[in-house]
Amino acid sequence: HPATEPISPQFSPYHHERKYLLFQPHLSLKASSAMPHKDAFECLSAQFLKGAPKTNSDREKIFRVWAEFVVPWFDLPVHWFLNELRDRGRSHKSSCIVKYEMGQKVRSAFGDGTIISSMEGSTTSASRYKIKLPYGMGYIRASSIVHALPSDGETKYVRRGGFMEVLKTKDETTDRKLKMKHDVQCRLTFGTEKVYLFMRLYCMLITMLHSAKEHLDSIAPSPEKDNAHFWRSDSSDKMDIDEDDGESKERKETCIGYRGLISSLQEVDLDFKSFEVRCRRISKDKVFLFAALPRLLEKCADALVKVSREDVILPLFDISQCKHVDPLLQRKQSLDVTGDASYRIQYHPLEGLIHFAYLPKEVDFPTSARPIISSATLSETPNSKAGGDSNTSKVLPWRGNGNEGPSKRLKLK
């Protein structure tokens, strides 16, 4: 449908770039760091106030997942979220903050640095880290560290039981040397079904917000006509949206254009019908897009709560934090964390796409494309007369480790 085309996933049998090692069927969704992640975070934070997280511990886990997974995954600016992360957490008293290892590179509120040592806290002071920053030494609280950075060498740190531990990056059981460079071109991780559903919903959310922003910015009225777009009800309106006629002008101006849309999404007591009325006042062309946002926000917030309670996304993401990644070893280590890590999630920032593929535990990781099959080869096989296709693509993906041959077709009776 034309209305859902911008947010619909694209299905592909394989990726045309061999260096990404994506030789299996997958679906792709639009996502990039240029999309309104900050607005999405503010809207989701408002949803959390409605009561989706049952306890303060749930809320702390949610914001740690955001800070240590979503922010580094999309390479988002840290200062966008510092105030919210500080206000909505319990600061240094939080039990959700991991204890980092000496020599580990981290990103803090004061810049990137390397941990030199740690100092335990007391009843009167919080625990601190001595960090070597680009401009000198700093003593920083654990709550001021946002997330860990990828290691330069083969040393990899993974959290276990609240502590960062060194994880080996070489597998003695195989001699295969398969490397995927971890840089701005590709990021790979493995996740559970809950992680997959959250990422699907979140990609849809930021894509819809991005489309809404582009549309509303393109039709932004001149300052002389702004008064026509106030959320002020008149005598012909059956639904009284603004009950207080004496509200300030500043309050009404927040309900104009894209900022008005974001402000309305953060109102926890606004029902869907009233929100749709507001959307029609903004733009009558994209009401279908705006009206779907509140329900999508609810589903996305619920999915994030489930991911935080599952409590496996951060260890899985830690495994992917290495400059050079062996996908086979990374998958093996991910399955050691949880046997449900059956979803391959691969982000290509230059393409502005995230690729999702289902890769259950019993299926081998595909490391090569399907062998080239020409029409002459097909004509020689006995099954070619029973539905053989001479227009077969030259390179076809298939599930396997690259050592087996393609499976034969069953003869139709």
Side-chain angles (χ1 to χ4, degrees):
H1 193 276
T4 60
E5 183 177 356
I7 60 174
S8 299
Q10 302 174 1
F11 294 89
S12 305
Y14 65 99
H15 198 283
H16 62 278
E17 287 287 347
R18 292 175 175 268
K19 62 181 180 180
Y20 295 137
L21 305 178
L22 192 52
F23 304 117
Q24 63 179 123
H26 61 277
L27 61 86
S28 307
L29 289 172
K30 295 179 181 178
S32 69
S33 58
M35 290 183 174
H37 294 271
K38 186 176 187 298
D39 298 329
F41 174 73
E42 293 174 353
C43 294
L44 288 172
S45 299
Q47 289 291 322
F48 299 145
L49 296 178
K50 288 185 177 181
K54 301 299 182 182
T55 62
N56 289 331
S57 178
D58 286 342
R59 294 186 178 90
E60 292 172 15
K61 289 181 179 180
I62 288 170
F63 290 111
R64 293 317 303 175
V65 168
W66 184 274
E68 298 191 58
F69 171 63
V70 179
V71 172
W73 179 260
F74 290 102
D75 196 19
L76 303 178
V78 172
H79 66 271
W80 282 0
F81 316 102
L82 281 179
N83 292 335
E84 288 81 359
L85 292 174
R86 288 173 177 172
D87 295 341
R88 303 185 192 280
R90 289 187 294 178
S91 186
H92 60 279
K93 297 181 181 180
S94 175
S95 59
C96 302
I97 299 178
V98 69
K99 185 175 179 60
Y100 294 95
E101 187 73 15
M102 304 305 103
Q104 193 170 3
K105 294 182 179 296
V106 294
R107 176 161 293 172
S108 69
F110 306 96
D112 298 348
T114 304
I115 296 179
I116 304 299
S117 61
S118 63
M119 295 173 289
E120 296 296 333
S122 61
T123 56
T124 58
S125 62
S127 60
R128 299 172 184 271
Y129 289 99
K130 181 180 180 181
I131 298 180
K132 183 179 180 181
L133 299 168
Y135 48 84
M137 291 291 182
Y139 296 86
I140 300 176
R141 287 186 177 184
S143 58
S144 297
I145 297 178
V146 182
H147 61 81
L149 294 174
S151 56
D152 295 330
E154 293 186 346
T155 304
K156 186 184 298 182
Y157 300 93
V158 178
R159 69 194 68 210
R160 288 176 179 170
F163 295 84
M164 284 289 190
E165 297 181 358
V166 178
L167 182 69
K168 67 176 183 178
T169 57
K170 293 182 179 180
D171 190 1
E172 293 81 3
T173 62
T174 178
D175 295 332
R176 180 187 294 275
K177 294 182 178 180
L178 185 66
K179 296 291 184 181
M180 180 186 294
K181 191 174 182 180
H182 182 101
D183 54 14
V184 296
Q185 296 183 356
C186 177
R187 292 166 193 165
L188 171 66
T189 191
F190 294 90
T192 62
E193 184 177 4
K194 291 182 175 63
V195 176
Y196 162 72
L197 291 176
F198 164 69
M199 293 299 292
R200 282 284 307 268
L201 292 171
Y202 182 71
C203 290
M204 187 181 299
L205 174 62
I206 58 176
T207 301
M208 292 176 67
L209 289 177
H210 184 67
S211 299
K213 187 177 188 303
E214 286 185 336
H215 175 71
L216 294 176
D217 289 347
S218 65
I219 62 169
S222 59
E224 302 85 45
K225 298 181 180 180
D226 277 350
N227 293 332
H229 294 268
F230 286 156
W231 301 131
R232 191 179 182 86
S233 59
D234 51 34
S235 58
S236 61
D237 289 335
K238 295 182 179 180
M239 185 179 300
D240 187 11
I241 300 176
D242 295 323
E243 297 179 357
D244 186 10
D245 293 335
E247 63 179 355
S248 63
K249 183 178 180 180
E250 291 77 13
R251 168 62 180 161
K252 293 186 292 185
E253 286 180 349
T254 61
C255 299
I256 300 175
Y258 177 71
R259 295 315 311 172
L261 177 67
I262 298 300
S263 178
S264 298
L265 288 172
Q266 297 179 37
E267 295 186 24
V268 296
D269 57 345
L270 187 65
D271 59 273
F272 295 124
K273 189 176 294 185
S274 301
F275 180 80
E276 184 175 347
V277 173
R278 292 191 177 185
C279 293
R280 294 184 184 278
R281 290 178 179 269
I282 296 181
S283 172
K284 297 182 179 180
D285 299 332
K286 298 285 186 178
V287 178
F288 66 91
L289 177 65
F290 305 151
L293 287 171
R295 184 68 69 182
L296 178 58
L297 272 172
E298 286 187 1
K299 297 296 182 182
C300 190
D302 291 340
L304 183 54
V305 171
K306 293 178 181 178
V307 168
S308 65
R309 289 175 179 171
E310 189 180 39
D311 203 19
V312 296
I313 178 58
L314 295 182
L316 291 174
F317 183 64
D318 289 338
I319 295 174
S320 67
Q321 292 283 74
C322 193
K323 290 293 185 182
H324 293 81
V325 178
D326 182 347
L328 296 178
L329 178 58
Q330 181 181 345
R331 186 194 181 209
K332 179 179 179 297
Q333 293 171 340
S334 299
L335 290 174
D336 290 340
V337 174
T338 172
D340 297 329
S342 303
Y343 290 85
R344 177 180 181 176
I345 306 174
Q346 199 160 310
Y347 174 42
H348 297 176
L350 298 181
E351 295 179 347
L353 295 173
I354 290 186
H355 306 289
F356 301 90
Y358 180 62
L359 195 62
K361 187 176 183 179
E362 59 273 11
V363 177
D364 293 334
F365 187 99
T367 58
S368 62
R370 185 172 179 175
I372 298 177
I373 304 177
S374 62
S375 57
T377 305
L378 290 176
S379 63
E380 295 175 359
T381 59
N383 293 332
S384 60
K385 297 180 181 180
D389 187 4
S390 60
N391 295 326
T392 305
S393 176
K394 291 184 178 181
V395 180
L396 297 176
W398 60 290
R399 290 181 177 178
N401 56 13
N403 298 325
E404 312 98 335
S407 58
K408 295 182 180 180
R409 295 183 181 179
L410 294 177
K411 186 175 182 180
L412 301 178
K413 296 181 180 180

